[in-house]
Amino acid sequence: GENVEQHPSTLSVQEGDSAVIKCTYSDSASNYFPWYKQELGKGPQLIIDIRSNVGEKKDQRIAVTLNKTAKHFSLHITETQPEDSAVYFCAVSGGSYIPTFGRGTSLIVHP
Amino acid sequence: EAGVAQSPRYKIIEKRQSVAFWCNPISGHATLYWYQQILGQGPKLLIQFQNNGVVDDSQLPKDRFSAERLKGVDSTLKIQPAKLEDSAVYLCASSFPTRGTGGTGNTIYFGEGSWLTVV
């Protein structure tokens, strides 16, 4: 099956700074890479995704980059705000295996 | 558009008791998932349905967990008998169907989860 590694497990930044979370995966057949945000007491919510035919995708302050050769993809959040504080999960799917999630990154944005 | 509905939101049971969770996916979503999320970890897939057929249940502890999706819409997940290590959030999710194994490469929409505490 797929193996997804996510780093860091905890990320603390000051409001206005940028935050970067990275995930690596093992199966080159993977072709879909979503990122989810989970706030306390709620289910994960999709915030951005990227497919293997695209190298970068941006949505306002959030961007995702994909390096298929190196088998890693990253979430970039610019101009962080306190409401960005949450747990972020990457996921990988495609090929014949089930969607697999990373272990999560707890992002803390200090006012 | 209504999201994925789950109930109950919270449940506390004693070990060896049974519990059942219910899920109603987004209308039109043929693929339904049950995930287990232990505190501090990412969601782990327990079972995936395509309509009312099981696509993957390789990580479902079948000696105590069971799930069904009658008529290809609502689903129930049952645990009997419960163990202390079953304490977790049980997330139901759904997505549009795809060809092949079903559900891969499509956006998964999660419900709010059912929080289970086994004491």
Side-chain angles (χ1 to χ4, degrees), chain A residues 31-32 36 38 41-46 49 51 89 93-99 101-103, chain B residues 9 33 35 37 40-43 45 48 56 59 91 101 104-108 110-112 115:
Chain A
N31 58 15
Y32 179 59
Y36 288 83
Q38 187 173 29
K42 297 186 177 182
Q45 299 295 311
L46 178 75
D49 58 10
R51 299 187 185 272
F89 293 97
S93 69
S96 60
Y97 52 84
I98 59 177
F101 283 77
R103 291 180 65 91
Chain B
R9 286 297 316 276
Y33 314 79
Y35 281 85
Q37 186 176 24
Q41 298 183 20
L45 185 73
Q48 177 181 340
D56 191 303
Q59 299 188 92
L91 296 162
T101 55
T104 59
N106 284 321
T107 301
I108 296 174
F110 285 89
E112 298 279 83
W115 296 63

Side-chain angles (χ1 to χ4, degrees), chain A:
Chain A
E2 177 64 279
N3 183 37
V4 180
E5 298 286 337
Q6 182 173 344
H7 298 281
S9 57
T10 305
L11 181 57
S12 183
V13 300
Q14 288 295 128
E15 182 177 0
D17 288 350
S18 295
V20 180
I21 304 169
K22 182 177 177 178
C23 283
T24 61
Y25 60 97
S26 58
D27 194 325
S28 56
S30 300
N31 58 15
Y32 179 59
F33 310 91
W35 285 93
Y36 288 83
K37 176 183 180 182
Q38 187 173 29
E39 297 176 329
L40 193 62
K42 297 186 177 182
Q45 299 295 311
L46 178 75
I47 55 172
I48 195 167
D49 58 10
I50 193 168
R51 299 187 185 272
S52 59
N53 58 343
V54 176
E56 183 174 357
K57 184 176 178 180
K58 190 173 182 179
D59 182 5
Q60 299 182 338
R61 297 186 296 108
I62 295 173
V64 57
T65 58
L66 172 65
N67 184 327
K68 284 220 73 179
T69 302
K71 288 187 262 185
H72 67 72
F73 59 110
S74 299
L75 176 70
H76 305 254
I77 305 175
T78 58
E79 302 171 25
T80 53
Q81 301 167 4
E83 51 265 37
D84 294 330
S85 296
V87 180
Y88 292 81
F89 293 97
C90 65
V92 177
S93 69
S96 60
Y97 52 84
I98 59 177
T100 304
F101 283 77
R103 291 180 65 91
T105 296
S106 178
L107 174 63
I108 303 167
V109 181
H110 299 280

Side-chain angles (χ1 to χ4, degrees), chain B residues 2-118:
Chain B
V4 177
Q6 290 189 245
S7 68
R9 286 297 316 276
Y10 306 96
K11 192 75 177 179
I12 301 175
I13 62 172
E14 295 183 349
K15 58 183 179 183
R16 291 187 290 275
Q17 286 188 324
S18 64
V19 63
F21 302 114
W22 171 84
C23 172
N24 180 249
I26 293 173
S27 178
H29 283 194
T31 306
L32 184 147
Y33 314 79
W34 282 103
Y35 281 85
Q36 180 193 58
Q37 186 176 24
I38 293 173
L39 189 64
Q41 298 183 20
K44 184 188 84 170
L45 185 73
L46 293 175
I47 189 167
Q48 177 181 340
F49 292 95
Q50 178 84 350
N51 296 306
N52 59 348
V54 175
V55 174
D56 191 303
D57 62 357
S58 58
Q59 299 188 92
L60 186 74
K62 298 179 185 63
D63 58 335
R64 298 182 301 105
F65 286 65
S66 65
E68 61 181 9
R69 191 183 184 197
L70 300 176
K71 301 180 182 179
V73 181
D74 293 2
S75 177
T76 56
L77 175 70
K78 296 179 181 177
I79 307 174
Q80 181 180 15
K83 292 185 175 182
L84 296 177
E85 58 262 36
D86 297 332
S87 294
V89 179
Y90 291 86
L91 296 162
C92 181
S94 67
S95 66
F96 280 112
T98 58
R99 288 174 288 179
T101 55
T104 59
N106 284 321
T107 301
I108 296 174
Y109 297 88
F110 285 89
E112 298 279 83
S114 292
W115 296 63
L116 174 66
T117 301
V118 182

